[in-house]
Amino acid sequence: MNIKVTVNGTTLTAQMENNSSADALCEKLKEENIIVHMKDYANFEKVGPLGSRLPSNDRQYTTKPGDIILYMGDQLVFYYDKNTWNFTKLGEFQNVTKADLKKLFGKGDITAELSL
């Protein structure tokens, strides 16, 4: 399944993973769009609270630019660089580069709207 993520007026497509975490997120999106206020962390990711918990499927994982991650069961993270930790991968942005993501996300906080 694919979802849409709109940031700063630009809409990206994300292909979701085949796991219970991504399935649960998509079920929530069938009810309503989700808006997440995200803060920059260490100049390689944006992170913000989902407002509810999702099931976790954590495993040791090294992120790549474009990965969408569930952290701690209730935090949404967009990566635009590498990091290794126990994560649940929710999906990944399609047809964008690291440079595209850094330009779109800019410096500082963003607001992302997730929709089907």
Side-chain angles (χ1 to χ4, degrees):
M1 176 173 272
N2 289 341
I3 67 168
K4 297 175 186 172
V5 179
T6 303
V7 176
N8 296 327
T10 299
T11 300
L12 302 174
T13 299
Q15 182 176 355
M16 302 306 286
E17 290 291 301
N18 184 17
N19 62 40
S20 62
S21 308
D23 291 346
L25 179 61
C26 290
E27 285 302 311
K28 288 184 177 294
L29 289 172
K30 287 179 183 177
E31 297 170 14
E32 65 183 350
N33 292 356
I34 297 173
I35 296 175
V36 183
H37 302 285
M38 307 177 86
K39 297 189 178 293
D40 190 78
Y41 180 78
N43 201 31
F44 64 85
E45 68 183 55
K46 300 289 186 192
V47 61
L50 272 170
S52 62
R53 294 192 67 76
L54 299 176
S56 293
N57 290 283
D58 288 350
R59 65 178 176 84
Q60 188 75 13
Y61 182 73
T62 299
T63 63
K64 62 186 180 311
D67 280 345
I68 302 170
I69 299 291
L70 176 67
Y71 178 66
M72 301 294 290
D74 65 353
Q75 300 290 308
L76 184 68
V77 187
F78 298 158
Y79 275 91
Y80 46 96
D81 215 327
K82 293 182 181 179
N83 188 26
T84 301
W85 198 257
N86 284 327
F87 296 123
T88 297
K89 185 175 178 185
L90 292 172
E92 63 184 67
F93 292 113
Q94 301 295 294
N95 304 313
V96 292
T97 66
K98 175 180 175 179
D100 294 335
L101 292 171
K102 287 188 88 160
K103 182 178 178 183
L104 174 63
F105 295 158
K107 295 182 190 243
D109 300 351
I110 64 169
T111 299
E113 182 174 4
L114 286 64
S115 62
L116 290 179

